[in-house]
């Protein structure tokens, strides 16, 4: 099977993971009221195969729910397999290859989407009074959530009024009633910027929401690309082929043609509804919701036997970490390298719930820059915290490239052994921060700053020469010839 097809069509993606034994077809009747979510959470936490629920109590006949679409696997050789398939990559792909693919796509020209006149997402249509989102198996994800979330693994589609900017962006959507939903449109996010453009013209924002879209498009929608960069063209650059799109029912918006479900309508200029609380990506369950913009749903189109994919946010790793964190990593690497810094890898450790990024620095290049540790930290902070990605992730860990920053054990090791408590934990209290960071105080939230930090794990002598001691490990303590011999004979030893 062509893996690129899996990146462009969720149903092909599911066929591939089913053939690999990485999809569980759940035919037992399950309840959308917490049961689906509880099963999915256990799948994340035990790193098991993705569940596809096809017998859901009270749901529209044929409707299905997919859990853990980008969850991790317990098999260390294949742990990133489901994530890698979102990009059309083989199941043994490692993080560096993922980031390098995403980074390379940034250097290529956009591959504009291919417009089609008919599409699978148009097989069924609800308009006007027919619209009833409650017929879909919209799950209650956590016991203390403020409502049912229809959009946890989907993306917004909006366009600037002049038609020059098409934005696809990840966002959550809570069901209000059969034809209204609500969710955040922060002014610092692209959907908020475009909504502001329409509001200044006195018009509600034409809007669509994609559920079960091309896996590669979901990944790109979660990437902090710069403003005015259109995601559809970047999806094509990423997979080397244009994504098929079709005109929406009610506007000139173009949506992925083979999506499972397309919700259409407009974002109200002034109306709001209570949204949340919700169990969040940082692993905490909030107790209070917040008024958010109201989205009026005026049409729904969907495939036969539609699949609603979900992310059950909480302790990592789940899709907020595997998808969002991976895309952020590539953007950080691009931003820092573009600024001329000697950085060769960036990684949002999944275990840190997208609250820190680790950066690997080429210490040979660093040693000729003639900078003190503090001056280098300030230089990196000035660049990082003024990017979209750096705004989202409040802590930056800097280390030498003698460790694998995608290995959380090695990251913990350098944090414990190389960061000096008095000089290497550097706070930047005046830097604007992302308001969803869980440890922010009420004072931080009021002033919009206060939670950002750089942690330097590069020892002082590495700024001018070699490290004081080498790493004692299999990788660093033995000759290459012996390591190859040991690996070649591993099974003979009895392992």
């Amino acid at each position: 099977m062509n893996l690129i097809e899996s990146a462009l069509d969720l149903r092909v993606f599911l066929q591939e993971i089913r053939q690999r034994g990485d999809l569980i077809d759940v035919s037992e009747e399950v309840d959308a009221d917490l049961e689906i979510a509880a099963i999915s959470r256990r799948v994340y936490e035990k790193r098991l195969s993705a569940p596809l629920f096809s017998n859901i109590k009270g749901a529209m006949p044929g409707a299905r729910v997919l859990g853990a679409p980008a969850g991790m696997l317990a098999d260390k050789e294949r742990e990133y397999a489901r994530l890698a398939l979102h990009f059309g990559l083989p199941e043994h792909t490692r993080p560096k290859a993922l980031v390098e693919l995403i980074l390379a796509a940034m250097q290529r020209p956009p591959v504009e989407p291919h417009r089609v006149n008919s599409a699978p997402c148009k097989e069924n249509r609800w308009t006007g009074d027919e619209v009833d989102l409650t017929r879909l198996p919209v799950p209650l994800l956590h016991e203390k959530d403020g409502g049912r979330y229809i959009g946890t693994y989907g993306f917004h589609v909006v366009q600037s009024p002049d038609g020059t900017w098409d934005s696809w962006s990840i966002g959550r959507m809570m069901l209000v009633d059969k034809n209204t939903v609500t969710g955040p449109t922060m002014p610092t996010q692209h959907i908020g910027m475009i909504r502001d453009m329409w509001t200044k013209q006195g018009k509600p924002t034409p809007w669509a929401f994609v559920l079960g879209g091309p896996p590669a498009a979901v990944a790109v929608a979660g990437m902090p690309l710069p403003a005015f960069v259109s995601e559809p063209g970047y999806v094509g650059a990423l997979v080397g082929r244009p994504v098929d799109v079709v005109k929406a029912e009610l506007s000139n918006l173009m949506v992925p043609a083979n999506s499972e479900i397309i919700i259409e309508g407009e974002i109200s200029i002034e109306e709001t509804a209570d949204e949340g609380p919700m169990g969040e990506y940082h692993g905490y369950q909030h107790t209070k919701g917040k008024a958010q913009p109201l989205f009026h749903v005026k049409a729904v189109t969907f495939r036969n036997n539609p699949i609603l994919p979900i992310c059950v946010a909480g302790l990592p790793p789940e899709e907020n970490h595997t998808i969002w964190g991976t895309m952020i990593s590539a953007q950080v690497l691009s931003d820092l390298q573009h600024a001329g810094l000697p950085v060769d890898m960036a990684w949002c450790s999944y275990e840190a719930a997208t609250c820190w990024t680790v950066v690997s620095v080429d210490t040979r290049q660093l040693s000729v820059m003639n900078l003190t540790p503090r001056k280098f930290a300030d230089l990196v902070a000035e660049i990082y915290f003024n990017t979209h990605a750096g705004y989202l992730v409040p802590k930056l860990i800097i280390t030498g490239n003698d460790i694998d920053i995608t290995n959380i054990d090695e990251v913990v090791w350098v944090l414990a052994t190389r960061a000096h408590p008095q000089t290497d934990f550097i706070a930047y209290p005046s830097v604007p921060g992302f308001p969803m960071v869980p440890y922010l105080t009420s004072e931080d939230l009021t002033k919009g700053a206060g939670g950002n930090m750089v942690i330097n794990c590069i020892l002082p002598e590495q700024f001018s020469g070699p490290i004081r001691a080498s790493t004692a490990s299999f990788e660093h303590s033995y000759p290459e010839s012996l390591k190859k011999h040991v690996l070649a004979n591993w099974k003979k030893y009895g392992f």
Side-chain angles (χ1 to χ4, degrees):
M1 186 179 294
N2 186 339
L3 297 185
I4 295 299
E5 292 292 338
S6 297
L8 290 170
D9 189 324
L10 179 64
R11 297 205 177 185
V12 180
F13 175 94
L14 294 178
Q15 289 173 19
E16 175 65 24
I17 64 172
R18 181 181 282 114
Q19 288 182 3
R20 296 177 178 181
D22 190 26
L23 183 72
I24 302 296
D25 289 291
V26 181
S27 57
E28 181 79 9
E29 184 182 70
V30 293
D31 199 325
D33 187 356
L34 295 177
E35 186 178 5
I36 284 175
I39 294 168
S40 298
R41 273 306 319 173
R42 185 165 172 80
V43 164
Y44 290 128
E45 293 166 20
K46 297 295 182 182
R47 299 193 174 206
L48 305 175
S49 297
L52 180 62
F53 304 97
S54 58
N55 184 4
I56 303 167
K57 182 179 178 181
M60 179 179 72
R64 295 172 285 173
V65 170
L66 173 66
M72 300 284 284
L73 288 174
D75 180 353
K76 288 297 182 182
E77 297 296 319
R78 301 169 53 245
E79 60 183 328
Y80 299 93
R82 219 175 300 151
L83 171 64
L85 193 59
H86 280 66
F87 306 95
L89 292 175
E91 58 184 327
H92 292 94
T93 298
R94 305 304 297 172
K96 191 170 181 61
L98 282 168
V99 172
E100 286 175 346
L101 173 74
I102 300 164
L103 190 64
M106 296 183 199
Q107 318 306 322
R108 295 194 285 264
V111 177
E112 295 304 322
H114 173 238
R115 298 190 177 200
V116 298
N117 294 322
S118 60
C121 69
K122 303 283 191 179
E123 288 173 343
N124 302 275
R125 291 177 172 84
W126 295 341
T127 58
D129 292 340
E130 294 176 307
V131 172
D132 187 356
L133 296 175
T134 65
R135 294 176 62 190
L136 298 173
V138 182
L140 182 63
L141 299 176
H142 312 89
E143 186 177 10
K144 296 179 181 179
D145 281 358
R148 296 177 181 271
Y149 279 85
I150 191 170
T152 54
Y153 203 65
F155 57 90
H156 298 286
V157 175
V158 292
Q159 186 184 74
S160 59
D162 64 5
T164 60
W165 181 16
D166 292 291
S167 174
W168 292 2
S169 63
I170 291 288
R172 71 189 196 206
M173 286 276 97
M174 193 189 86
L175 194 66
V176 176
D177 55 35
K178 69 175 188 176
N179 59 6
T180 55
V181 294
T182 184
T185 61
M186 296 181 189
T188 53
Q189 294 178 319
H190 293 170
I191 186 173
M193 295 176 189
I194 290 177
R195 182 185 178 216
D196 184 60
M197 295 176 189
W198 285 96
T199 299
K200 286 178 178 177
Q201 295 187 4
K203 300 175 182 178
T205 307
W207 159 84
F209 197 79
V210 176
L211 292 163
V218 178
V220 170
M223 188 171 185
L225 290 169
F228 307 105
V229 173
S230 294
E231 281 79 7
Y234 182 75
V235 176
L238 183 65
V239 299
R241 284 176 45 184
V243 60
D244 286 344
V245 295
V246 67
K247 184 181 175 300
E249 294 287 297
L250 305 177
S251 68
N252 290 323
L253 296 173
M254 305 300 293
V255 297
N258 57 22
S259 302
E260 294 292 322
I261 304 167
I262 304 291
I263 300 170
E264 296 183 37
E266 60 188 27
I267 311 173
S268 173
I269 295 177
E270 295 181 344
E271 292 173 282
T272 63
D274 289 336
E275 186 260 332
M278 179 189 183
E280 292 279 12
Y281 72 90
H282 40 59
Y284 295 96
Q285 171 74 56
H286 285 299
T287 57
K288 294 181 180 179
K290 185 178 180 181
Q292 300 287 9
L294 199 65
F295 295 68
H296 292 283
V297 179
K298 299 184 177 182
V300 181
T301 66
F302 54 94
R303 296 180 77 156
N304 294 330
N305 302 318
I307 300 168
L308 172 64
I310 62 170
C311 166
V312 188
L315 284 176
E318 37 89 342
E319 287 75 19
N320 286 297
H321 317 114
T322 59
I323 290 287
W324 194 36
T326 300
M327 305 310 284
I328 289 172
S329 301
Q331 187 65 55
V332 168
L333 183 57
S334 174
D335 291 337
L336 297 184
Q337 288 184 342
H338 183 73
L341 294 176
V343 172
D344 55 22
M345 183 61 179
W347 189 246
C348 282
S349 305
Y350 297 163
E351 296 82 356
T354 324
C355 285
W356 78 34
T357 305
V358 189
V359 167
S360 169
V361 176
D362 185 331
T363 52
R364 289 175 299 178
Q365 295 182 44
L366 176 66
S367 66
V368 300
M369 293 179 70
N370 196 29
L371 292 173
T372 65
R374 179 56 189 259
K375 286 184 178 179
F376 184 69
D378 288 344
L379 175 61
V380 178
E382 174 68 21
I383 297 164
Y384 175 79
F385 290 125
N386 281 289
T387 66
H388 189 183
Y391 167 75
L392 295 170
V393 186
K395 294 177 183 173
L396 182 67
I397 299 171
I398 308 170
T399 185
N401 60 353
D402 60 317
I403 74 159
D404 176 4
I405 64 171
T406 69
N407 183 332
I408 191 64
D409 293 338
E410 295 190 32
V411 174
V412 171
W413 176 64
V414 295
L415 269 171
T417 63
R418 298 187 188 178
H420 194 288
Q422 294 180 18
T423 58
D424 289 327
F425 292 80
I426 308 164
Y428 294 88
S430 62
V431 171
F434 192 45
M436 293 182 72
V437 173
Y439 57 73
L440 294 179
T441 67
S442 57
E443 182 182 354
D444 295 332
L445 294 170
T446 299
K447 67 179 182 179
N452 298 65
M453 170 175 279
V454 170
I455 305 173
N456 173 48
C457 296
I458 303 175
L459 291 168
E461 64 268 21
Q462 291 181 282
F463 285 85
S464 57
I467 194 170
R468 68 187 68 169
S470 61
T471 302
S473 68
F474 178 80
E475 179 63 29
H476 294 93
S477 298
Y478 305 96
E480 287 298 322
S481 59
L482 179 61
K483 288 190 291 185
K484 289 178 181 178
H485 173 78
V486 168
L487 292 175
N489 289 278
W490 197 245
K491 289 186 178 180
K492 292 182 181 179
Y493 300 143
F495 294 102

